[in-house]
Amino acid sequence: MYVRFLSKVFSGMAGPRPVVFSGPSGAGKSTLLKMLIREFDGVFGFSVSHTTRKPRPGEENGKDYHYVSREDMQTGITKGDFIESAEFSGNMYGTSKAAVQAVQAQNLICILDIDMQGVKSIKRTSLNPIYISIQPPSMDVLEKRLRARKTESEESLQKRLQAALVEVEFSREPNQFDVIIINDNLDEAYEKLKAALLQEIQKVKNTTKA
Ligand SMILES: Nc1nc2c(ncn2[C@@H]2O[C@H](COP(=O)(O)OP(=O)(O)O)[C@@H](O)[C@H]2O)c(=O)[nH]1
Ligand SMILES: Nc1ncnc2c1ncn2[C@@H]1O[C@H](COP(=O)(O)OP(=O)(O)O)[C@@H](O)[C@H]1O
């Protein structure tokens, strides 16, 4: 009885392991994580980052990102509101403590979509996530997808392609990621992603049932 109580307290405190998605801009992280959140409603929750970049058409403040000024972001960082933050392609991005806590308070699997600097920072914390790298089948395909997305200026696109080279290199370093998924065919990539997360998904489902 006491053991059961303790294990409940412990599991309540620890909660399910978060999942980090990383990889080049345009690799398909948002597409895949949105599919997961849609299919497994009540299992996953998205850590809404802060960013100084402008919202794209269709993006919602507070849902895709918290859109803030550089000044407000700096103030938050100085105050210690962020678990990690980074400069990417001329804009600031960061994961606030509140963003992760909001998801974990609901006992959901917290999904973080962060660049490689974020991955390195998170590795120095006690978050203990599963690290998943989403990679494009080639740089050519990546460029085509980014262009087809029509969200970037030529300058921003070039910056992202430059950063992508480094992101690809990073994913090839041994032991940086638990799982590497090449997003060639979307449905196949999604199946691989689900298979990699099946155990964690089951844990959350079991806890919810209890
Ligand atoms: N370190 C860090 N990177 C982030 C965060 N939020 C988003 N990013 C990364 O910033 C990069 C640019 O994101 P975004 O402007 O949404 O462009 P997209 O990836 O091309 O859709 C991506 O690599 C994201 O993973 C964050 O809170 N921290
Ligand atoms: N497997 C795929 N095949 C073709 N297009 C894809 C595939 N995966 C994603 N896309 C498209 O590529 C673009 C980049 O994907 P996105 O999810 O925005 O990437 P990221 O979040 O990693 O920057 C989007 O327009 C998306 O619809």
Side-chain angles (χ1 to χ4, degrees), residues 91-105:
N91 289 301
M92 291 172 81
Y93 296 83
T95 308
S96 70
K97 291 173 183 168
V100 172
Q101 274 162 12
V103 177
Q104 292 193 324

PDB file of all heavy atoms in Angstrom, residues 91-105:
ATOM      1  N   ASN A  91      17.154  35.522 -35.292  1.00  0.00           N
ATOM      2  CA  ASN A  91      16.098  35.711 -34.293  1.00  0.00           C
ATOM      3  C   ASN A  91      16.419  34.933 -33.029  1.00  0.00           C
ATOM      4  O   ASN A  91      17.197  33.982 -33.067  1.00  0.00           O
ATOM      5  CB  ASN A  91      14.750  35.226 -34.840  1.00  0.00           C
ATOM      6  CG  ASN A  91      14.222  36.144 -35.920  1.00  0.00           C
ATOM      7  OD1 ASN A  91      14.001  37.334 -35.699  1.00  0.00           O
ATOM      8  ND2 ASN A  91      14.062  35.607 -37.110  1.00  0.00           N
ATOM      9  N   MET A  92      15.781  35.368 -31.928  1.00  0.00           N
ATOM     10  CA  MET A  92      15.967  34.656 -30.660  1.00  0.00           C
ATOM     11  C   MET A  92      14.822  33.669 -30.453  1.00  0.00           C
ATOM     12  O   MET A  92      13.675  33.957 -30.810  1.00  0.00           O
ATOM     13  CB  MET A  92      15.988  35.636 -29.486  1.00  0.00           C
ATOM     14  CG  MET A  92      17.211  36.507 -29.463  1.00  0.00           C
ATOM     15  SD  MET A  92      17.041  37.762 -28.205  1.00  0.00           S
ATOM     16  CE  MET A  92      17.507  36.806 -26.770  1.00  0.00           C
ATOM     17  N   TYR A  93      15.166  32.534 -29.862  1.00  0.00           N
ATOM     18  CA  TYR A  93      14.192  31.497 -29.534  1.00  0.00           C
ATOM     19  C   TYR A  93      14.502  30.987 -28.141  1.00  0.00           C
ATOM     20  O   TYR A  93      15.670  30.904 -27.765  1.00  0.00           O
ATOM     21  CB  TYR A  93      14.307  30.308 -30.503  1.00  0.00           C
ATOM     22  CG  TYR A  93      13.979  30.623 -31.938  1.00  0.00           C
ATOM     23  CD1 TYR A  93      14.934  31.177 -32.789  1.00  0.00           C
ATOM     24  CD2 TYR A  93      12.717  30.364 -32.451  1.00  0.00           C
ATOM     25  CE1 TYR A  93      14.630  31.467 -34.115  1.00  0.00           C
ATOM     26  CE2 TYR A  93      12.403  30.639 -33.779  1.00  0.00           C
ATOM     27  CZ  TYR A  93      13.369  31.187 -34.608  1.00  0.00           C
ATOM     28  OH  TYR A  93      13.062  31.466 -35.908  1.00  0.00           O
ATOM     29  N   GLY A  94      13.492  30.605 -27.384  1.00  0.00           N
ATOM     30  CA  GLY A  94      13.790  30.041 -26.073  1.00  0.00           C
ATOM     31  C   GLY A  94      12.634  29.272 -25.468  1.00  0.00           C
ATOM     32  O   GLY A  94      11.461  29.550 -25.756  1.00  0.00           O
ATOM     33  N   THR A  95      12.992  28.307 -24.650  1.00  0.00           N
ATOM     34  CA  THR A  95      12.006  27.494 -23.929  1.00  0.00           C
ATOM     35  C   THR A  95      11.878  28.044 -22.523  1.00  0.00           C
ATOM     36  O   THR A  95      12.853  28.020 -21.758  1.00  0.00           O
ATOM     37  CB  THR A  95      12.506  26.032 -23.836  1.00  0.00           C
ATOM     38  OG1 THR A  95      12.866  25.572 -25.139  1.00  0.00           O
ATOM     39  CG2 THR A  95      11.442  25.122 -23.227  1.00  0.00           C
ATOM     40  N   SER A  96      10.700  28.536 -22.166  1.00  0.00           N
ATOM     41  CA  SER A  96      10.528  29.049 -20.803  1.00  0.00           C
ATOM     42  C   SER A  96      10.240  27.890 -19.849  1.00  0.00           C
ATOM     43  O   SER A  96       9.722  26.841 -20.263  1.00  0.00           O
ATOM     44  CB  SER A  96       9.395  30.068 -20.746  1.00  0.00           C
ATOM     45  OG  SER A  96       8.158  29.435 -20.925  1.00  0.00           O
ATOM     46  N   LYS A  97      10.562  28.119 -18.594  1.00  0.00           N
ATOM     47  CA  LYS A  97      10.248  27.115 -17.570  1.00  0.00           C
ATOM     48  C   LYS A  97       8.737  26.912 -17.537  1.00  0.00           C
ATOM     49  O   LYS A  97       8.242  25.789 -17.420  1.00  0.00           O
ATOM     50  CB  LYS A  97      10.749  27.596 -16.201  1.00  0.00           C
ATOM     51  CG  LYS A  97      12.260  27.622 -16.102  1.00  0.00           C
ATOM     52  CD  LYS A  97      12.734  28.256 -14.795  1.00  0.00           C
ATOM     53  CE  LYS A  97      14.255  28.330 -14.768  1.00  0.00           C
ATOM     54  NZ  LYS A  97      14.770  29.171 -13.678  1.00  0.00           N
ATOM     55  N   ALA A  98       7.998  28.026 -17.675  1.00  0.00           N
ATOM     56  CA  ALA A  98       6.528  27.974 -17.608  1.00  0.00           C
ATOM     57  C   ALA A  98       5.951  27.113 -18.743  1.00  0.00           C
ATOM     58  O   ALA A  98       4.962  26.400 -18.534  1.00  0.00           O
ATOM     59  CB  ALA A  98       5.959  29.378 -17.668  1.00  0.00           C
ATOM     60  N   ALA A  99       6.579  27.170 -19.925  1.00  0.00           N
ATOM     61  CA  ALA A  99       6.053  26.414 -21.074  1.00  0.00           C
ATOM     62  C   ALA A  99       6.103  24.912 -20.807  1.00  0.00           C
ATOM     63  O   ALA A  99       5.150  24.182 -21.076  1.00  0.00           O
ATOM     64  CB  ALA A  99       6.854  26.760 -22.328  1.00  0.00           C
ATOM     65  N   VAL A 100       7.228  24.474 -20.252  1.00  0.00           N
ATOM     66  CA  VAL A 100       7.381  23.045 -19.961  1.00  0.00           C
ATOM     67  C   VAL A 100       6.494  22.652 -18.773  1.00  0.00           C
ATOM     68  O   VAL A 100       5.815  21.618 -18.808  1.00  0.00           O
ATOM     69  CB  VAL A 100       8.868  22.693 -19.705  1.00  0.00           C
ATOM     70  CG1 VAL A 100       9.028  21.265 -19.213  1.00  0.00           C
ATOM     71  CG2 VAL A 100       9.678  22.907 -20.973  1.00  0.00           C
ATOM     72  N   GLN A 101       6.470  23.496 -17.752  1.00  0.00           N
ATOM     73  CA  GLN A 101       5.656  23.191 -16.567  1.00  0.00           C
ATOM     74  C   GLN A 101       4.171  23.084 -16.906  1.00  0.00           C
ATOM     75  O   GLN A 101       3.465  22.228 -16.381  1.00  0.00           O
ATOM     76  CB  GLN A 101       5.878  24.244 -15.478  1.00  0.00           C
ATOM     77  CG  GLN A 101       7.088  23.916 -14.607  1.00  0.00           C
ATOM     78  CD  GLN A 101       7.606  25.126 -13.825  1.00  0.00           C
ATOM     79  OE1 GLN A 101       6.940  26.167 -13.761  1.00  0.00           O
ATOM     80  NE2 GLN A 101       8.794  24.993 -13.249  1.00  0.00           N
ATOM     81  N   ALA A 102       3.709  23.934 -17.823  1.00  0.00           N
ATOM     82  CA  ALA A 102       2.285  23.921 -18.205  1.00  0.00           C
ATOM     83  C   ALA A 102       1.898  22.558 -18.769  1.00  0.00           C
ATOM     84  O   ALA A 102       0.800  22.054 -18.510  1.00  0.00           O
ATOM     85  CB  ALA A 102       2.003  25.015 -19.223  1.00  0.00           C
ATOM     86  N   VAL A 103       2.805  21.954 -19.522  1.00  0.00           N
ATOM     87  CA  VAL A 103       2.515  20.639 -20.117  1.00  0.00           C
ATOM     88  C   VAL A 103       2.671  19.541 -19.061  1.00  0.00           C
ATOM     89  O   VAL A 103       1.819  18.653 -18.931  1.00  0.00           O
ATOM     90  CB  VAL A 103       3.452  20.364 -21.321  1.00  0.00           C
ATOM     91  CG1 VAL A 103       3.199  18.984 -21.896  1.00  0.00           C
ATOM     92  CG2 VAL A 103       3.279  21.436 -22.390  1.00  0.00           C
ATOM     93  N   GLN A 104       3.749  19.626 -18.297  1.00  0.00           N
ATOM     94  CA  GLN A 104       4.017  18.573 -17.315  1.00  0.00           C
ATOM     95  C   GLN A 104       2.977  18.553 -16.193  1.00  0.00           C
ATOM     96  O   GLN A 104       2.682  17.494 -15.647  1.00  0.00           O
ATOM     97  CB  GLN A 104       5.441  18.723 -16.769  1.00  0.00           C
ATOM     98  CG  GLN A 104       6.473  18.416 -17.854  1.00  0.00           C
ATOM     99  CD  GLN A 104       7.871  18.228 -17.327  1.00  0.00           C
ATOM    100  OE1 GLN A 104       8.279  18.908 -16.384  1.00  0.00           O
ATOM    101  NE2 GLN A 104       8.625  17.331 -17.937  1.00  0.00           N
ATOM    102  N   ALA A 105       2.410  19.716 -15.878  1.00  0.00           N
ATOM    103  CA  ALA A 105       1.376  19.781 -14.832  1.00  0.00           C
ATOM    104  C   ALA A 105       0.156  18.954 -15.230  1.00  0.00           C
ATOM    105  O   ALA A 105      -0.597  18.498 -14.373  1.00  0.00           O
ATOM    106  CB  ALA A 105       0.977  21.230 -14.593  1.00  0.00           C
TER     107      ALA A 105
END
